[in-house]
Amino acid sequence: MKFNTKTIHGGQEHDKAYGSVMPPIYQTSTYAQSTPGGHKGYEYSRTHNPTRNALEKSFASIENGNHGLAFGSGLAAIDAVIKLLKPGDEVISTNDLYGGTYRLFTKIYEAFGIKFHFIGMENASKIEMYINKNTKLIWVETPTNPMLNIIDLEAVSKIAKKYEVLLAADNTFATPYLQKPLDLGADIVMHSATKYLGGHSDVVMGALVVKEKELADKLYFIQNASGAVCGPQDSFLVLRGIKTLHVRMQRHCENGRAIAAYLEQHPKIEKVYWPGLKTHPNHDIAKAQMKDFGGMLSFTTKGNSYEASIRIVEKLKIFTLAESLGGVESLSGHPASMTHASIPKEEREKTGVIDSLIRLSVGIEDIDDLISDLDQALL
Ligand SMILES: *Cc1c(COP(=O)(O)O)cnc(C)c1O
């Protein structure tokens, strides 16, 4: 089955009771038993729920994995991965990382004796310098947030395999429409399904997908034992979202390309960060591992003024100033005052998050309206 069919049919079957084409929302915590243990495969909804299971099969299908797991948020999914580890274990992670992931690693798990190394992985061989006998996991985000750096997943996975270390990839920005980390050698793929998979900014959810049964069993155990599952309503919504993922992504990419081109020639713009631009330092790797380049982009303005950037995001009308990304509607964000405000100026500037940086999640509206909106805001 091809990807554009998997988004709609992958892992899905029509409801056995009445043939409903969409899975019913099984809004139940428990299931009747005829005799102790006499049930139809479902006992309690933390452990299993038919609507959630339908979604988990869809997750597995679109990422070319064998086992999918749905969680109450992206961070709950990451939390489950770190629970595979024990005190003394070490993790090597990308340094330009989603802020919440960084907070989870440093503020929660360092206190439990897990050590994290945050490094630039644009040159994958750098990872080897940090590997020792305690290294158990490599955590990668690509493209990264908000600088849209690209990491070579195949190169990182070769290193992970050589040292028998697990490789997990946060595929939130790219989605499986653009790149499939499991096919490139990752062991675990993770999503904030809140973003593109849900696609409509109406639900918070996380996902994991793996190929290996043994690893899946460990993660299912953690999912049930820790209990950070998502509810049946939310499962239904994300399953519905996934059915249009390929169509939405196609338009996100088209609009992203047009806006990158528009910004590049604008006299007030200093720099545009979008992996599809030939000027992007890892454009060639992006081109090799991604089908297209997505709808996330960042830019800076000449003069690097904090205030001028605030005025731009305030003036934008169709681009709503808001956290999050990946929905059908366009959003803007100013990392220095929003997502990265808690990071000291010198620290954030090291990774490129300077005062004038603006991040756009380009939606699927008409491109003419989006460009007019940017035009009036940049005046
Ligand atoms: C939003 C996001 C997360 C966290 O997901 P939640 O659903 O908000 O918990 C993790 N990684 C990336 C790249 C994200 O954009």
Side-chain angles (χ1 to χ4, degrees), residues 253-301:
C253 293
E254 277 171 30
N255 285 356
R257 171 174 285 106
I259 288 179
Y262 162 79
L263 290 172
E264 253 207 327
Q265 56 75 47
H266 196 287
K268 287 200 176 160
I269 303 298
E270 178 75 38
K271 209 155 182 223
V272 182
Y273 299 91
W274 188 64
L277 294 173
K278 292 206 177 66
T279 49
H280 186 287
N282 270 346
H283 172 70
D284 289 343
I285 293 165
K287 209 169 151 185
Q289 77 184 10
M290 297 169 77
K291 179 187 166 80
D292 201 336
F293 306 101
M296 294 303 300
L297 63 85
S298 296
F299 64 93
T300 56
T301 43

Side-chain angles (χ1 to χ4, degrees), residues 73-75 98 141 170 172-173 190 192 194-195 204-205 325:
S73 70
L75 281 170
Y98 178 73
E141 226 180 276
D170 181 337
T172 301
F173 268 40
M190 173 263 152
S192 169
T194 314
K195 316 293 169 54
V204 172
M205 190 186 285
L325 60 110

Side-chain angles (χ1 to χ4, degrees), residues 10-23:
Q12 304 306 301
E13 45 189 56
H14 297 153
D15 164 55
K16 287 195 189 75
Y18 300 108
S20 79
V21 168
M22 279 300 280

